[in-house]
């Protein structure tokens, strides 16, 4: 249902495609983006993700490095400034 009614995101995808900023068909990009936004996770999954970022990119359960430590601050900044869409300014 999200994909069928994603008119705003569909428009953005077409504009990006028009300006050569997408490297695939605009509908394919929209389909992948919508699926990515609809991934189901549990509270435990979210906690492990947060703990991994807090641990410099190392999963505290497995001990595996899942993200280079140098990229963690960049990701956190991106999450803080864009993660809540229209509410990001109020959050910051």
């Amino acid at each position: 249902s999200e994909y069928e009614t994603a008119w705003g995101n569909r428009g953005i995808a077409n504009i990006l495609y028009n300006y050569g900023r997408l490297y695939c068909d605009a509908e394919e990009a929209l389909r992948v983006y919508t699926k990515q936004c609809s991934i189901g996770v549990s509270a435990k999954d979210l906690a492990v993700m947060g703990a991994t970022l807090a641990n410099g990119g190392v999963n505290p359960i497995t001990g595996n490095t899942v993200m280079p430590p140098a990229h963690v601050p960049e990701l956190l900044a991106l999450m803080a400034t864009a993660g809540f869409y229209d509410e990001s300014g109020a959050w910051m």
Side-chain angles (χ1 to χ4, degrees):
S1 66
E2 178 80 18
Y3 173 76
E4 297 298 325
T5 59
W7 300 112
N9 285 339
R10 184 171 278 108
I12 292 169
N14 282 296
I15 290 169
L16 290 171
Y17 182 81
N18 187 55
Y19 282 94
R21 298 297 181 207
L22 287 182
Y23 306 104
C24 63
D25 177 70
E27 279 300 312
E28 180 182 353
L30 178 64
R31 206 170 16 261
V32 170
Y33 174 77
T34 304
K35 285 181 182 180
Q36 181 265 174
C37 289
S38 302
I39 293 173
V41 296
S42 68
K44 180 181 177 184
D45 295 334
L46 288 172
V48 172
M49 290 178 211
T52 299
L53 293 173
N55 198 30
V58 178
N59 182 308
I61 296 172
T62 66
N64 293 335
T65 300
V66 297
M67 170 179 270
H71 294 305
V72 172
E74 296 167 353
L75 176 62
L76 293 175
L78 181 65
M79 289 170 64
T81 58
F84 288 119
Y85 295 100
D86 293 344
E87 302 303 319
S88 293
W91 170 257
M92 289 300 291

